Amino acid sequence: MTLRACVTGQPVTYSRSPLLHGYWLKAYGIDGAYEREEVPPETAADFYRSLAVRGYAGCNVTLPNKEIAFSVLDEADESAAALGAANTLWLEGGKLHGASTDGYGFIANLDASAPGWDGARNCALVVGAGGASRAVVHALVGRGFDRVVLANRTLERAETVASLFGPRVRPLAFDRIVEVMGEADILVNCTSLGMKGSDPLTLDLGRLRPEAVVSDIVYVPLMTPLLKAASAAGFRTVDGLGMLLHQGVPGFRRWFGVTPEVTPELRAVLVEDLRAKGQLEA
């Protein structure tokens, strides 16, 4: 029997998840399929409740449906419960289970791309307080950082997100970011600044410690202006493409019964897709 999974949300036309999971299905010789399902928010709850009827073993969830998906789960893992959102759903024992794998993907990408990045674990500086930021902050707290500073142009939004995670997460107005840059072991951009067609995130990277790692969750373009500047200044950098690749691992394991590897060959396939669509450079 062909096992089926899909990516859901609105829109899903540009999702690279089918390319990712399709590569793994072929690589491991699995009789499976990974499809696209355009699911608007108004029908999302019913769609996720009826995955089994639709013949799916599970699905990924993209914007704007992650909170809706969480609301209909029978069982949520710790990550989804902490964030109130789920991006990976699967059926188990007749129940709908869910997880948020963005934080897992973020940490796994750093571990693979910048070994030892978390050696100090004193201070992480996260810029932006949106949905992706919540997953990143949760992951950094889970990795054991003493302090995670969350900087955002709207301080109230940073305060709201910080309140979810306890005293180790501290909100900061964006215009005060220079006060903590010198203490950061890692700087993470969780905004859309630097994305193709957007303004860049401009920071005085000279204030960072030489050992600091600079990471960007944006992967279109692959080397954002922030990463280019950081690399030119001699910092270790980690792009956002690896986060996309690694976050797919737990879902594939749940749906198809194999734990896939994120390999250089897989990354090359995704990079070539970016190049073909003119999205490799800003």
Side-chain angles (χ1 to χ4, degrees):
M1 182 181 69
T2 300
L3 297 168
R4 297 171 63 227
C6 61
V7 58
T8 70
Q10 190 178 51
V12 292
T13 307
Y14 304 107
S15 172
R16 288 181 167 83
S17 290
L19 182 60
L20 168 63
H21 292 287
Y23 176 92
W24 281 330
L25 287 169
K26 183 177 180 181
Y28 293 102
I30 295 171
D31 180 13
Y34 187 93
E35 304 164 11
R36 287 184 172 88
E37 288 274 9
E38 195 80 10
V39 179
E42 55 269 23
T43 63
D46 288 340
F47 183 94
Y48 300 129
R49 290 191 186 102
S50 63
L51 280 176
V53 174
R54 297 172 184 272
Y56 287 117
C59 68
N60 282 129
V61 183
T62 64
L63 295 174
N65 294 344
K66 294 183 180 182
E67 292 181 355
I68 298 171
F70 174 78
S71 72
V72 300
L73 295 178
D74 297 311
E75 301 284 347
D77 83 343
E78 186 273 337
S79 62
L83 300 173
N87 74 335
T88 302
L89 310 186
W90 68 95
L91 294 166
E92 183 178 331
K95 292 184 177 182
L96 183 61
H97 292 245
S100 173
T101 65
D102 288 333
Y104 167 87
F106 171 74
I107 294 292
N109 184 33
L110 283 166
D111 288 343
S113 303
W117 68 275
D118 60 343
R121 304 189 191 185
N122 293 320
C123 176
L125 175 56
V126 178
V127 182
S133 174
R134 295 186 184 204
V136 166
V137 169
H138 179 250
L140 289 167
V141 170
R143 183 47 71 98
F145 273 79
D146 293 334
R147 181 164 51 116
V148 179
V149 178
L150 181 59
N152 196 62
R153 294 195 185 280
T154 305
L155 178 59
E156 291 78 9
R157 187 177 181 111
E159 290 172 337
T160 298
V161 174
S163 69
L164 301 173
F165 300 104
R168 280 196 286 165
V169 181
R170 305 178 188 178
L172 184 73
F174 186 84
D175 59 8
R176 295 180 57 195
I177 202 169
V178 295
E179 299 175 14
V180 298
M181 285 188 69
E183 304 169 33
D185 301 305
I186 181 170
L187 166 67
V188 187
N189 176 34
C190 288
T191 74
S192 61
L193 293 173
M195 188 177 291
K196 191 176 180 70
S198 300
D199 292 332
L201 174 61
T202 304
L203 297 171
D204 181 5
L205 298 179
R207 294 179 177 272
L208 289 173
R209 298 166 58 248
E211 302 83 6
V213 173
V214 179
S215 176
D216 204 322
I217 68 168
V218 171
Y219 65 88
V220 178
L222 196 57
M223 284 297 288
T224 63
L226 175 67
L227 294 184
K228 286 182 178 178
S231 180
F235 295 103
R236 287 192 295 169
T237 62
V238 179
D239 63 57
L241 182 58
M243 178 177 172
L244 170 70
L245 302 179
H246 284 280
Q247 65 80 32
V249 170
F252 192 91
R253 180 176 65 244
R254 293 288 187 180
W255 307 322
F256 302 114
V258 172
T259 301
E261 289 187 63
V262 175
T263 61
E265 293 77 15
L266 171 60
R267 180 180 170 88
V269 169
L270 272 291
V271 169
E272 181 54 38
D273 183 67
L274 291 172
R275 180 179 289 111
K277 293 179 171 60
Q279 297 175 332
L280 203 59
E281 298 295 334

